[in-house]
Amino acid sequence: MWGEADLQVADSRAYPMIGVQTASNRRTYDAPLEAAVRRFQRRHLLQEDGVVGEQTRLALNTSVASRIDQLRVNLERARWISPMQSAEPRVWVDIAGYRMHYVRPNGQHWDARVVVGTPRRETPIIHSTISHLTINPSWTIPPTIMREDVLPQVRADINYLARKNIQVISPMGEPLVAEEIDWQHPGGVMLRQVAGTGNPLGRVVVRFPNDDMIYLHDTARGLFQRDQRALSSGCIRVEGVAELAQMLLQDTGSRYQMSSLLKGEVIAM
């Protein structure tokens, strides 16, 4: 078991330049200091711009005791994950590192960048089994997003629903007339956005049973270039999700091809 002294030694080894960097003028933000800031940002998954903004300043001011607590928490998380890694194949998401990993039945490893939930709407830790794929999905808007994001828009302008191709349905899936709903007190109505270019799930969704309505899916491709990618409402957006889906089909013995499915073509099985 690691003690505090061990963690402090590990921290000093991880940051070998701490305590030895000097500057001829401590009031000058020169090139060596900017390079040190960029290294710090890269190590902490911050935007590597060399600017000491709010997030960088918060990270710099984090105490050694807090870093030790973070290490303890992550060591415990690693202990939880260890039994899951004994069975293959497996898909797992490193939420803090913004990466998804897939170990295939043949032992091949595949990984991709992901976008995960914001601190306000965190991606939960889930252990489940992938059950199926959905091509060109509709999106049933989760309760939190409906309450906090969509309803204020609908109350301000009922035409918001039509512009976003959102259908109003009952809990049984029956269509309802939007103009007949009291949007101040909508009750148990549900909102479903039809498939299309504006659908936030994109064209491919990898689904697995869970109570949080969390999936692996497409879209938001411009966000994958960012260093910090805690930007979603909880779901996990996967760069190259169609490639992942094709591997899952292949590895489970399916003859379907993603290229044909995305074009709406059906093959004889």
Side-chain angles (χ1 to χ4, degrees), residues 91 93 100 123-134 205-217 234-236 238 244 248:
V91 173
V93 177
M100 194 215 75
T123 297
I125 297 175
I126 298 170
H127 185 205
S128 185
T129 301
I130 291 174
S131 56
H132 63 285
L133 311 176
T134 306
V205 180
V206 180
R207 299 186 185 272
F208 41 92
N210 68 91
D211 295 331
D212 298 289
M213 301 178 72
I214 299 298
Y215 313 109
L216 307 175
H217 67 91
C235 275
I236 301 159
V238 183
L244 169 66
L248 291 171

Side-chain angles (χ1 to χ4, degrees), residues 135-136 203 257-266:
I135 308 299
N136 295 323
R203 301 197 66 191
Q257 297 294 317
M258 284 302 302
S259 57
S260 298
L261 292 172
L262 290 171
K263 292 176 183 177
E265 300 173 356
V266 178

